[in-house]
Amino acid sequence: MELIKPDTYIDFMRYRLPVIGVSVSIALLSVGSLFWPGANLGLDFAGGTELEVAFTGDVSTTEVREALTNSGHPGADVVTVEGQANRYILRVRETSAITPELQETIGSRLRSALGDVEVLQYKVSPGGDKISLRLSGPADTQVIRGAIEGEGDNGVQVREVTRFGGTAEHRFEASLVGVGDAVFQDLQTAFADRAPESALRIEWVGPKAGEQLRDAAIQSLLYAIAFIMVYIAFRFDLRFAPGAVLAMLHDVMITVGIYVLVQKEMNLTTIAALLTILGYSINDTIVVFDRIRENLGRHKDKSLRELINISTSQVLSRTIMTSGTTLVSVVAFFIYGTSVIQDISFALFVGILVGTYSSIYIASPMTEWIDRRFFAKAA
């Protein structure tokens, strides 16, 4: 199917400077958005506790947010589960109710309460919902419970203390009321008969784990770009690689910037969407480059600038059809998908739009400039 006549010639390169100027402005705005207002990091990267609950009566997001603020969780996120009445995903920044100072206090109380029984190992889980003990001898679970809870002034509540392991081992595990459990109890107190009967899901990510995930996500993007650059250099020519890489960086930067400006939540799903955009961007660029390379042999009397115009005009129908059909699919997912699907669709929508024009106005002009600046002199 040909939307553009095969012999059509459009002088794309004529408008490259104004388009590049607009792109550079948007890219700088994107970089600035990382400093203000800053990325809205999700649970994966910032750490925190996430609950999914279903209320038994009508409850608005404002009521839930006020209840969480009053219970000591200001700034908590309350997200409506699409298509589920009175069902919400709650995110609070806290991951553990046990601070490092409190851990030391509990350890001292245990050693004092157990007397001659030595504490060989004392470990608090990163989520602050379990305390594991390995002792040198037998101990009463009630003594352990009392030492952990203290006089009730530290806010730590023990759900149960369990002994496990063989008869020669003296291992204990105390299950505590964690941040998720505490939030759930606060909701039951605040909403009474409208409160959820149980938490459908409780997850947490520690701040350190979130930081590691964030670093790993950035590294995955950089590795992907580096390997694609090597591929382009071998697949085509060294002069094509910088343009392709610049176009990919341009697409990712602008997509992230728009994502930050509208305060969409950045998480691992967003990184997956950005990797998809990288793949789409390089695929579109390769189609244009492939046609340029073919025309290099057919039209040896023409400049690279003219060849870019000819090649881009020849693949314009394909570009419009591919991008158009992909955008239709993405828009459908955005309209009918859940909140997570909508976030991915939004990133893909922006990335596909930017990636389509960057193949023409970022990758190709960069290649033409490198050819004129370096390879023309060598010839």
Side-chain angles (χ1 to χ4, degrees), residues 129-180:
D129 57 349
K130 289 180 181 177
I131 293 179
S132 301
L133 295 172
R134 185 163 66 87
L135 307 178
S136 61
D140 190 337
T141 56
Q142 290 302 319
V143 173
I144 295 175
R145 173 191 284 267
I148 294 174
E149 290 185 337
E151 298 178 356
D153 56 344
N154 57 15
V156 178
Q157 299 178 49
V158 178
R159 185 180 290 115
E160 62 177 347
V161 179
T162 307
R163 181 184 183 281
F164 62 96
T167 54
E169 296 179 293
H170 305 287
R171 294 177 179 272
F172 297 85
E173 183 176 272
S175 298
L176 310 180
V177 177
V179 173

Short mmCIF file of all heavy atoms in Angstrom, two decimals, residues 129-180:
data_model
loop_
_atom_site.label_atom_id
_atom_site.label_comp_id
_atom_site.label_asym_id
_atom_site.label_seq_id
_atom_site.Cartn_x
_atom_site.Cartn_y
_atom_site.Cartn_z
N ASP A 129 9.59 -6.79 59.67
CA ASP A 129 8.42 -7.56 60.12
C ASP A 129 8.81 -8.89 60.78
O ASP A 129 7.93 -9.65 61.17
CB ASP A 129 7.47 -7.81 58.96
CG ASP A 129 8.14 -8.53 57.80
OD1 ASP A 129 9.38 -8.65 57.82
OD2 ASP A 129 7.42 -8.98 56.88
N LYS A 130 10.12 -9.18 60.88
CA LYS A 130 10.55 -10.44 61.50
C LYS A 130 11.87 -10.23 62.23
O LYS A 130 12.73 -9.47 61.79
CB LYS A 130 10.72 -11.54 60.45
CG LYS A 130 9.42 -12.04 59.85
CD LYS A 130 9.68 -13.13 58.84
CE LYS A 130 8.35 -13.59 58.23
NZ LYS A 130 8.56 -14.60 57.17
N ILE A 131 12.00 -10.93 63.36
CA ILE A 131 13.27 -10.95 64.08
C ILE A 131 13.68 -12.41 64.24
O ILE A 131 12.92 -13.21 64.78
CB ILE A 131 13.14 -10.27 65.46
CG1 ILE A 131 12.88 -8.77 65.30
CG2 ILE A 131 14.42 -10.49 66.28
CD1 ILE A 131 12.72 -8.04 66.61
N SER A 132 14.86 -12.75 63.75
CA SER A 132 15.36 -14.13 63.83
C SER A 132 16.42 -14.20 64.93
O SER A 132 17.29 -13.32 65.02
CB SER A 132 15.96 -14.55 62.49
OG SER A 132 14.99 -14.47 61.47
N LEU A 133 16.34 -15.27 65.73
CA LEU A 133 17.28 -15.45 66.84
C LEU A 133 17.87 -16.85 66.81
O LEU A 133 17.18 -17.83 66.49
CB LEU A 133 16.55 -15.26 68.19
CG LEU A 133 15.99 -13.88 68.51
CD1 LEU A 133 15.16 -13.96 69.79
CD2 LEU A 133 17.12 -12.87 68.68
N ARG A 134 19.14 -16.95 67.12
CA ARG A 134 19.79 -18.25 67.37
C ARG A 134 20.46 -18.15 68.73
O ARG A 134 21.34 -17.32 68.94
CB ARG A 134 20.81 -18.57 66.29
CG ARG A 134 21.41 -19.98 66.43
CD ARG A 134 22.09 -20.41 65.13
NE ARG A 134 23.25 -19.59 64.84
CZ ARG A 134 24.48 -19.84 65.30
NH1 ARG A 134 24.70 -20.90 66.09
NH2 ARG A 134 25.49 -19.04 64.99
N LEU A 135 19.98 -19.01 69.66
CA LEU A 135 20.42 -18.92 71.04
C LEU A 135 21.30 -20.11 71.40
O LEU A 135 21.30 -21.15 70.72
CB LEU A 135 19.20 -18.87 71.97
CG LEU A 135 18.14 -17.80 71.65
CD1 LEU A 135 16.97 -17.91 72.62
CD2 LEU A 135 18.76 -16.42 71.69
N SER A 136 22.01 -19.98 72.50
CA SER A 136 22.90 -21.06 72.95
C SER A 136 22.15 -22.11 73.76
O SER A 136 22.67 -23.18 74.04
CB SER A 136 24.05 -20.50 73.79
OG SER A 136 23.53 -19.85 74.96
N GLY A 137 20.92 -21.83 74.17
CA GLY A 137 20.16 -22.77 74.98
C GLY A 137 18.67 -22.51 74.83
O GLY A 137 18.25 -21.62 74.09
N PRO A 138 17.84 -23.30 75.53
CA PRO A 138 16.38 -23.11 75.44
C PRO A 138 15.94 -21.80 76.07
O PRO A 138 16.59 -21.26 76.97
CB PRO A 138 15.84 -24.32 76.22
CG PRO A 138 16.93 -24.69 77.16
CD PRO A 138 18.22 -24.39 76.46
N ALA A 139 14.79 -21.31 75.58
CA ALA A 139 14.25 -20.04 76.10
C ALA A 139 12.74 -20.07 75.98
O ALA A 139 12.17 -20.76 75.12
CB ALA A 139 14.83 -18.87 75.33
N ASP A 140 12.07 -19.34 76.85
CA ASP A 140 10.61 -19.23 76.83
C ASP A 140 10.20 -18.20 75.78
O ASP A 140 10.73 -17.08 75.76
CB ASP A 140 10.12 -18.81 78.21
CG ASP A 140 8.60 -18.90 78.34
OD1 ASP A 140 7.91 -18.85 77.30
OD2 ASP A 140 8.11 -19.02 79.48
N THR A 141 9.23 -18.58 74.93
CA THR A 141 8.79 -17.65 73.89
C THR A 141 8.16 -16.39 74.48
O THR A 141 8.24 -15.32 73.87
CB THR A 141 7.79 -18.35 72.94
OG1 THR A 141 6.70 -18.86 73.72
CG2 THR A 141 8.45 -19.49 72.18
N GLN A 142 7.54 -16.52 75.64
CA GLN A 142 6.92 -15.34 76.26
C GLN A 142 7.98 -14.34 76.73
O GLN A 142 7.77 -13.13 76.71
CB GLN A 142 6.04 -15.78 77.44
CG GLN A 142 4.78 -16.52 77.03
CD GLN A 142 3.90 -15.67 76.09
OE1 GLN A 142 3.72 -14.47 76.29
NE2 GLN A 142 3.37 -16.32 75.05
N VAL A 143 9.14 -14.91 77.16
CA VAL A 143 10.24 -14.02 77.57
C VAL A 143 10.76 -13.25 76.36
O VAL A 143 11.04 -12.04 76.44
CB VAL A 143 11.37 -14.86 78.22
CG1 VAL A 143 12.59 -13.98 78.49
CG2 VAL A 143 10.89 -15.50 79.51
N ILE A 144 10.87 -13.96 75.25
CA ILE A 144 11.34 -13.31 74.02
C ILE A 144 10.34 -12.22 73.60
O ILE A 144 10.72 -11.10 73.25
CB ILE A 144 11.53 -14.35 72.90
CG1 ILE A 144 12.66 -15.32 73.29
CG2 ILE A 144 11.82 -13.67 71.57
CD1 ILE A 144 12.86 -16.45 72.31
N ARG A 145 9.06 -12.56 73.64
CA ARG A 145 8.02 -11.58 73.27
C ARG A 145 8.10 -10.33 74.15
O ARG A 145 8.06 -9.20 73.67
CB ARG A 145 6.64 -12.21 73.39
CG ARG A 145 5.48 -11.23 73.19
CD ARG A 145 4.16 -11.86 73.59
NE ARG A 145 3.71 -12.80 72.60
CZ ARG A 145 2.89 -12.49 71.59
NH1 ARG A 145 2.46 -11.25 71.47
NH2 ARG A 145 2.51 -13.39 70.73
N GLY A 146 8.23 -10.57 75.46
CA GLY A 146 8.29 -9.44 76.40
C GLY A 146 9.50 -8.56 76.16
O GLY A 146 9.42 -7.33 76.26
N ALA A 147 10.64 -9.18 75.85
CA ALA A 147 11.86 -8.40 75.61
C ALA A 147 11.74 -7.55 74.35
O ALA A 147 12.23 -6.42 74.30
CB ALA A 147 13.06 -9.34 75.50
N ILE A 148 11.09 -8.09 73.34
CA ILE A 148 10.95 -7.34 72.08
C ILE A 148 9.95 -6.20 72.24
O ILE A 148 10.20 -5.07 71.81
CB ILE A 148 10.51 -8.30 70.94
CG1 ILE A 148 11.62 -9.31 70.65
CG2 ILE A 148 10.17 -7.51 69.68
CD1 ILE A 148 11.24 -10.38 69.65
N GLU A 149 8.82 -6.48 72.87
CA GLU A 149 7.79 -5.43 72.99
C GLU A 149 8.15 -4.41 74.07
O GLU A 149 7.65 -3.29 74.05
CB GLU A 149 6.44 -6.07 73.32
CG GLU A 149 5.85 -6.86 72.15
CD GLU A 149 4.47 -7.38 72.46
OE1 GLU A 149 4.17 -7.52 73.66
OE2 GLU A 149 3.72 -7.66 71.51
N GLY A 150 9.00 -4.83 75.05
CA GLY A 150 9.34 -3.93 76.15
C GLY A 150 8.12 -3.62 76.98
O GLY A 150 7.28 -4.49 77.24
N GLU A 151 7.99 -2.37 77.33
CA GLU A 151 6.82 -1.95 78.12
C GLU A 151 5.74 -1.33 77.23
O GLU A 151 4.88 -0.60 77.72
CB GLU A 151 7.28 -0.95 79.19
CG GLU A 151 8.27 -1.56 80.19
CD GLU A 151 8.73 -0.54 81.21
OE1 GLU A 151 8.33 0.64 81.08
OE2 GLU A 151 9.49 -0.91 82.12
N GLY A 152 5.88 -1.61 75.94
CA GLY A 152 4.88 -1.07 75.01
C GLY A 152 5.17 0.35 74.58
O GLY A 152 4.33 0.98 73.93
N ASP A 153 6.34 0.84 74.94
CA ASP A 153 6.66 2.23 74.62
C ASP A 153 7.44 2.38 73.32
O ASP A 153 7.72 3.49 72.88
CB ASP A 153 7.48 2.85 75.76
CG ASP A 153 8.74 2.03 76.06
OD1 ASP A 153 8.80 0.87 75.61
OD2 ASP A 153 9.64 2.55 76.74
N ASN A 154 7.83 1.26 72.69
CA ASN A 154 8.62 1.37 71.46
C ASN A 154 7.78 1.18 70.20
O ASN A 154 8.30 1.26 69.09
CB ASN A 154 9.78 0.36 71.47
CG ASN A 154 9.29 -1.07 71.65
OD1 ASN A 154 8.10 -1.33 71.49
ND2 ASN A 154 10.17 -1.98 71.99
N GLY A 155 6.50 0.92 70.36
CA GLY A 155 5.62 0.79 69.20
C GLY A 155 5.72 -0.53 68.48
O GLY A 155 5.08 -0.73 67.44
N VAL A 156 6.53 -1.48 68.98
CA VAL A 156 6.70 -2.77 68.33
C VAL A 156 5.68 -3.75 68.91
O VAL A 156 5.58 -3.90 70.13
CB VAL A 156 8.13 -3.32 68.53
CG1 VAL A 156 8.27 -4.69 67.88
CG2 VAL A 156 9.14 -2.36 67.94
N GLN A 157 4.95 -4.39 68.02
CA GLN A 157 3.96 -5.39 68.45
C GLN A 157 4.34 -6.74 67.85
O GLN A 157 4.60 -6.84 66.65
CB GLN A 157 2.56 -5.00 67.99
CG GLN A 157 2.07 -3.68 68.55
CD GLN A 157 0.70 -3.33 68.03
OE1 GLN A 157 -0.22 -4.16 68.04
NE2 GLN A 157 0.53 -2.11 67.56
N VAL A 158 4.37 -7.77 68.71
CA VAL A 158 4.71 -9.12 68.26
C VAL A 158 3.43 -9.89 67.97
O VAL A 158 2.53 -9.96 68.83
CB VAL A 158 5.54 -9.85 69.33
CG1 VAL A 158 5.85 -11.28 68.86
CG2 VAL A 158 6.83 -9.09 69.62
N ARG A 159 3.35 -10.44 66.77
CA ARG A 159 2.18 -11.25 66.44
C ARG A 159 2.31 -12.64 67.05
O ARG A 159 1.40 -13.16 67.66
CB ARG A 159 2.05 -11.34 64.92
CG ARG A 159 0.78 -12.07 64.48
CD ARG A 159 0.64 -12.15 62.98
NE ARG A 159 0.36 -10.84 62.41
CZ ARG A 159 1.18 -10.19 61.61
NH1 ARG A 159 2.34 -10.73 61.26
NH2 ARG A 159 0.87 -9.01 61.13
N GLU A 160 3.49 -13.28 66.89
CA GLU A 160 3.75 -14.58 67.50
C GLU A 160 5.24 -14.87 67.46
O GLU A 160 5.98 -14.30 66.65
CB GLU A 160 2.99 -15.69 66.77
CG GLU A 160 3.39 -15.87 65.33
CD GLU A 160 2.66 -17.04 64.67
OE1 GLU A 160 2.04 -17.83 65.38
OE2 GLU A 160 2.74 -17.14 63.43
N VAL A 161 5.67 -15.73 68.40
CA VAL A 161 7.07 -16.17 68.43
C VAL A 161 7.07 -17.67 68.18
O VAL A 161 6.38 -18.43 68.87
CB VAL A 161 7.74 -15.85 69.78
CG1 VAL A 161 9.19 -16.34 69.78
CG2 VAL A 161 7.69 -14.35 70.05
N THR A 162 7.84 -18.09 67.20
CA THR A 162 7.85 -19.50 66.80
C THR A 162 9.25 -20.08 66.97
O THR A 162 10.24 -19.44 66.60
CB THR A 162 7.42 -19.65 65.32
OG1 THR A 162 6.18 -18.98 65.14
CG2 THR A 162 7.28 -21.11 64.93
N ARG A 163 9.29 -21.29 67.53
CA ARG A 163 10.57 -22.00 67.61
C ARG A 163 10.64 -22.97 66.46
O ARG A 163 9.66 -23.64 66.11
CB ARG A 163 10.67 -22.76 68.94
CG ARG A 163 11.99 -23.50 69.12
CD ARG A 163 11.99 -24.30 70.41
NE ARG A 163 13.28 -24.95 70.61
CZ ARG A 163 13.65 -26.07 70.00
NH1 ARG A 163 12.84 -26.67 69.15
NH2 ARG A 163 14.84 -26.59 70.24
N PHE A 164 11.78 -23.05 65.81
CA PHE A 164 11.92 -24.00 64.69
C PHE A 164 13.32 -24.58 64.71
O PHE A 164 14.19 -24.16 65.49
CB PHE A 164 11.63 -23.29 63.35
CG PHE A 164 12.57 -22.17 63.03
CD1 PHE A 164 13.68 -22.40 62.21
CD2 PHE A 164 12.38 -20.89 63.54
CE1 PHE A 164 14.56 -21.37 61.91
CE2 PHE A 164 13.25 -19.86 63.24
CZ PHE A 164 14.35 -20.10 62.43
N GLY A 165 13.53 -25.59 63.87
CA GLY A 165 14.83 -26.29 63.83
C GLY A 165 14.78 -27.56 64.65
O GLY A 165 13.75 -27.93 65.24
N GLY A 166 15.90 -28.29 64.72
CA GLY A 166 15.99 -29.54 65.47
C GLY A 166 16.04 -29.30 66.97
O GLY A 166 16.09 -28.17 67.45
N THR A 167 16.04 -30.45 67.73
CA THR A 167 16.04 -30.33 69.20
C THR A 167 17.34 -29.73 69.71
O THR A 167 17.36 -29.11 70.78
CB THR A 167 15.84 -31.72 69.82
OG1 THR A 167 16.84 -32.62 69.29
CG2 THR A 167 14.46 -32.28 69.50
N ALA A 168 18.43 -29.95 68.98
CA ALA A 168 19.72 -29.39 69.40
C ALA A 168 19.87 -27.92 69.04
O ALA A 168 20.80 -27.26 69.51
CB ALA A 168 20.86 -30.21 68.76
N GLU A 169 18.98 -27.45 68.22
CA GLU A 169 19.05 -26.05 67.80
C GLU A 169 18.06 -25.23 68.61
O GLU A 169 17.00 -25.72 69.00
CB GLU A 169 18.73 -25.91 66.31
CG GLU A 169 19.73 -26.60 65.40
CD GLU A 169 19.35 -26.44 63.94
OE1 GLU A 169 18.31 -27.00 63.56
OE2 GLU A 169 20.06 -25.76 63.22
N HIS A 170 18.38 -24.02 68.81
CA HIS A 170 17.50 -23.12 69.56
C HIS A 170 17.29 -21.87 68.71
O HIS A 170 17.85 -20.80 68.98
CB HIS A 170 18.13 -22.79 70.91
CG HIS A 170 18.49 -24.00 71.73
ND1 HIS A 170 17.54 -24.80 72.36
CD2 HIS A 170 19.69 -24.61 71.96
CE1 HIS A 170 18.14 -25.80 72.97
NE2 HIS A 170 19.44 -25.72 72.73
N ARG A 171 16.50 -22.06 67.69
CA ARG A 171 16.21 -20.97 66.75
C ARG A 171 14.78 -20.48 66.96
O ARG A 171 13.85 -21.29 67.11
CB ARG A 171 16.39 -21.44 65.30
CG ARG A 171 17.83 -21.80 64.94
CD ARG A 171 17.90 -22.32 63.50
NE ARG A 171 19.26 -22.65 63.12
CZ ARG A 171 20.11 -21.77 62.60
NH1 ARG A 171 19.72 -20.53 62.38
NH2 ARG A 171 21.35 -22.14 62.30
N PHE A 172 14.61 -19.18 66.92
CA PHE A 172 13.28 -18.58 67.12
C PHE A 172 13.07 -17.49 66.07
O PHE A 172 14.03 -16.88 65.59
CB PHE A 172 13.18 -17.97 68.52
CG PHE A 172 13.29 -18.97 69.64
CD1 PHE A 172 14.55 -19.35 70.11
CD2 PHE A 172 12.16 -19.53 70.21
CE1 PHE A 172 14.67 -20.28 71.14
CE2 PHE A 172 12.28 -20.45 71.24
CZ PHE A 172 13.53 -20.84 71.71
N GLU A 173 11.82 -17.30 65.76
CA GLU A 173 11.48 -16.22 64.82
C GLU A 173 10.24 -15.50 65.36
O GLU A 173 9.21 -16.14 65.60
CB GLU A 173 11.20 -16.76 63.43
CG GLU A 173 10.90 -15.65 62.42
CD GLU A 173 10.72 -16.19 61.02
OE1 GLU A 173 11.73 -16.33 60.29
OE2 GLU A 173 9.57 -16.52 60.67
N ALA A 174 10.37 -14.21 65.55
CA ALA A 174 9.26 -13.39 66.03
C ALA A 174 8.65 -12.65 64.85
O ALA A 174 9.34 -11.89 64.16
CB ALA A 174 9.75 -12.40 67.08
N SER A 175 7.37 -12.91 64.60
CA SER A 175 6.65 -12.19 63.54
C SER A 175 6.06 -10.91 64.13
O SER A 175 5.31 -10.98 65.12
CB SER A 175 5.54 -13.06 62.96
OG SER A 175 6.09 -14.22 62.37
N LEU A 176 6.40 -9.78 63.53
CA LEU A 176 5.97 -8.49 64.07
C LEU A 176 4.86 -7.89 63.22
O LEU A 176 4.64 -8.30 62.07
CB LEU A 176 7.16 -7.52 64.10
CG LEU A 176 8.44 -8.03 64.73
CD1 LEU A 176 9.51 -6.95 64.68
CD2 LEU A 176 8.21 -8.50 66.16
N VAL A 177 4.19 -6.95 63.81
CA VAL A 177 3.21 -6.17 63.07
C VAL A 177 3.99 -5.13 62.27
O VAL A 177 4.54 -4.19 62.85
CB VAL A 177 2.20 -5.49 64.02
CG1 VAL A 177 1.23 -4.62 63.23
CG2 VAL A 177 1.44 -6.54 64.82
N GLY A 178 4.09 -5.32 60.94
CA GLY A 178 4.89 -4.44 60.09
C GLY A 178 4.14 -3.18 59.71
O GLY A 178 3.02 -2.93 60.15
N VAL A 179 4.79 -2.37 58.84
CA VAL A 179 4.18 -1.12 58.40
C VAL A 179 2.87 -1.39 57.68
O VAL A 179 1.85 -0.72 57.90
CB VAL A 179 5.15 -0.35 57.48
CG1 VAL A 179 4.47 0.87 56.88
CG2 VAL A 179 6.38 0.07 58.26
N GLY A 180 2.87 -2.42 56.81
CA GLY A 180 1.66 -2.76 56.07
C GLY A 180 0.53 -3.16 57.01
O GLY A 180 -0.62 -2.72 56.84
#
